[in-house]
Amino acid sequence: MTSVGELVLDFRSDTLTQPVPAMKEAMAGAELGDDVYGEDPTTLALQDAVARLTGFEAALFFPTGSMGNLAALLSHAEPGRALFAGACSHIKMYELGSYARIAGLNLIEIDDSHGYLELEVLRRSWCPDLYYMPRPGLVTVENTHNILGGKIYPEAMLARLRQFTQGKDTPLHMDGARILNAARASGRPVRDWTRHVDSVMISLSKGLGAPVGSVLAGSDALIGKALRMRKLLGGGMRQTGMLAAAGHYALNHHLPLLDRDHERCRRVYEHLRDLSWLRATQPETNILILETEAPVAAALREALAARGVKLLALSERKIRIVFHLHISDQACDQLATLIRGWDGQP
Ligand SMILES: *Cc1c(COP(=O)(O)O)cnc(C)c1O
């Protein structure tokens, strides 16, 4: 991670955080057992906590969100079925096509460029009930939406989507890597979303600041299948309590810190919104997307990197800036000043 003295200036992702000392203590002191035998008490406690948080019967710890999502796909839908997922979703873009390569699903891309997978668009893409068309298998939604700028999925929209998918006898999975950002930013419980889906994956290693870990939650039956699928994927782990303890610590202590990330994200947006060569999208959580008029995203990224500030260029015109627990007010001011003062030179 880039830092100048104590100042962390790395805005590439909220996955860059280091465990804080108290989190490391919790990890070192965790009570352990062999989790393949279901005997790691710290992991079992974390899974219980996430099941309660999400209102589901059960939950299962995973090393990564990608594996949690994939286990959900494998558990919900048989090979050959159709997976309806957003064209800009993490499952479609950044998981190596595992939905096809490993789960054997047939992707039907839904335009989510406005930030959400919408019912009307889904309905238009739904497979007709003909013997030579793929049968529906699963619908996935992302909350908050990562590359579309940390957008919160509106509950009413989700409720309508769920009514439709239930009518079609098709399960609905939420990639909720950042659902806790959604919950904090809107001051609402996680259950306001999870009661409308059949499963949710939550990342502990993003804004929450744990080094490793995601949790999949769902019914007892689904999590029973996911346990087998996790083992199939090579994810049966032993003394996972050391990792689960970090996640549990994060859930108990780091939720209020997300509010700070959201405030800082909004402040940087306010500093940049009047620039003529740049369009900043009003952020809802901890991700700020900037679109430049000219194709200069890479040049801007390089100019800032030369001054010790890191961010991601998503395309020729798109920049992603992410706020996390090591980013200070001072770092935000420095970022905004550098972008405002950029003269177009590398
Ligand atoms: C990061 C992320 C994942 C995957 O998590 P990993 O732990 O990096 O595998 C899935 N979905 C979304 C929306 C993410 O941002």
Side-chain angles (χ1 to χ4, degrees):
M1 188 161 40
T2 331
S3 55
V4 176
E6 289 294 291
L7 198 56
V8 172
L9 294 163
D10 202 332
F11 295 88
R12 286 173 301 164
S13 177
D14 48 9
T15 55
L16 294 158
T17 55
Q18 302 268 338
V20 297
M23 182 182 276
K24 286 184 183 166
E25 266 172 48
M27 295 169 77
E31 209 186 318
L32 305 174
D34 189 331
D35 189 56
V36 170
Y37 290 89
E39 291 173 4
D40 186 279
T42 309
T43 303
L44 295 174
L46 171 69
Q47 292 173 169
D48 276 352
V50 174
R52 276 197 308 278
L53 177 75
T54 54
F56 281 113
E57 287 169 351
L60 188 64
F61 184 73
F62 282 83
T64 65
S66 301
M67 195 192 281
N69 276 336
L70 178 54
L73 304 190
L74 286 161
S75 305
H76 278 301
E78 295 159 19
R81 296 262 177 168
L83 165 67
F84 299 86
C88 301
S89 66
H90 197 281
I91 288 177
K92 191 246 154 169
M93 293 192 65
Y94 302 120
E95 299 182 10
L96 294 171
S98 59
Y99 61 83
R101 182 169 174 175
I102 302 175
L105 298 176
N106 194 335
L107 177 67
I108 300 191
E109 257 184 54
I110 308 298
D111 177 14
D112 59 349
S113 53
H114 298 299
Y116 319 103
L117 192 143
E118 290 166 85
L119 174 57
E120 283 320 308
V121 187
L122 177 68
R123 203 198 291 274
R124 282 201 295 275
S125 312
W126 202 258
C127 323
D129 192 10
L130 296 168
Y131 80 92
Y132 48 82
M133 296 296 284
R135 315 273 310 272
L138 178 66
V139 177
T140 61
V141 292
E142 192 167 309
N143 185 27
T144 65
H145 202 298
N146 178 341
I147 62 160
L148 296 176
K151 279 203 154 87
I152 300 169
Y153 208 98
E155 188 194 349
M157 205 185 252
L158 188 62
R160 283 198 301 275
L161 197 68
R162 160 74 150 193
Q163 207 175 17
F164 173 79
T165 56
Q166 266 179 337
K168 300 287 185 190
D169 233 348
T170 304
L172 180 58
H173 169 70
M174 178 169 276
D175 176 348
R178 294 187 181 78
I179 197 174
L180 287 158
N181 290 86
R184 288 302 297 194
S186 43
R188 295 170 56 186
V190 164
R191 288 174 183 221
D192 278 4
W193 291 275
T194 52
R195 66 199 178 88
H196 300 294
V197 296
D198 298 289
S199 56
V200 65
M201 185 282 288
I202 297 181
S203 291
L204 303 165
S205 57
K206 302 265 163 94
L208 288 176
V212 173
S214 292
V215 182
L216 176 69
S219 66
D220 279 331
L222 182 85
I223 295 302
K225 285 189 201 167
L227 179 65
R228 294 178 60 82
M229 294 304 145
R230 186 182 68 176
K231 185 71 178 160
L232 180 70
L233 296 171
M237 300 169 288
R238 304 296 176 174
Q239 285 71 30
T240 44
M242 293 195 89
L243 303 173
H248 216 160
Y249 178 91
L251 284 177
N252 289 336
H253 297 93
H254 285 177
L255 293 183
L257 302 184
L258 297 176
D259 300 345
R260 249 180 19 182
D261 298 344
H262 300 159
E263 264 165 47
R264 289 181 172 134
C265 186
R266 221 168 18 244
R267 246 204 12 230
V268 171
Y269 162 76
E270 292 297 337
H271 278 312
L272 300 177
R273 58 183 292 193
D274 64 325
L275 292 177
S276 59
W277 56 277
L278 195 71
R279 198 171 63 81
T281 306
Q282 183 162 11
E284 295 179 16
T285 53
N286 69 325
I287 302 177
L288 180 61
I289 299 286
L290 306 178
E291 267 175 276
T292 58
E293 206 156 282
V296 295
L300 176 61
R301 175 179 55 79
E302 280 162 36
L304 264 67
R307 290 158 185 80
V309 177
K310 287 194 180 177
L311 34 76
L312 274 189
L314 293 177
S315 68
E316 280 188 324
R317 290 184 166 79
K318 241 186 193 179
I319 296 270
R320 190 186 76 165
I321 298 174
V322 187
F323 297 79
H324 54 77
L325 80 155
H326 300 324
I327 296 291
S328 64
D329 288 337
Q330 205 190 337
C332 292
D333 291 344
Q334 199 153 324
L335 169 74
T337 306
L338 280 174
I339 294 179
R340 288 192 71 87
W342 187 49
D343 57 6
Q345 300 304 310

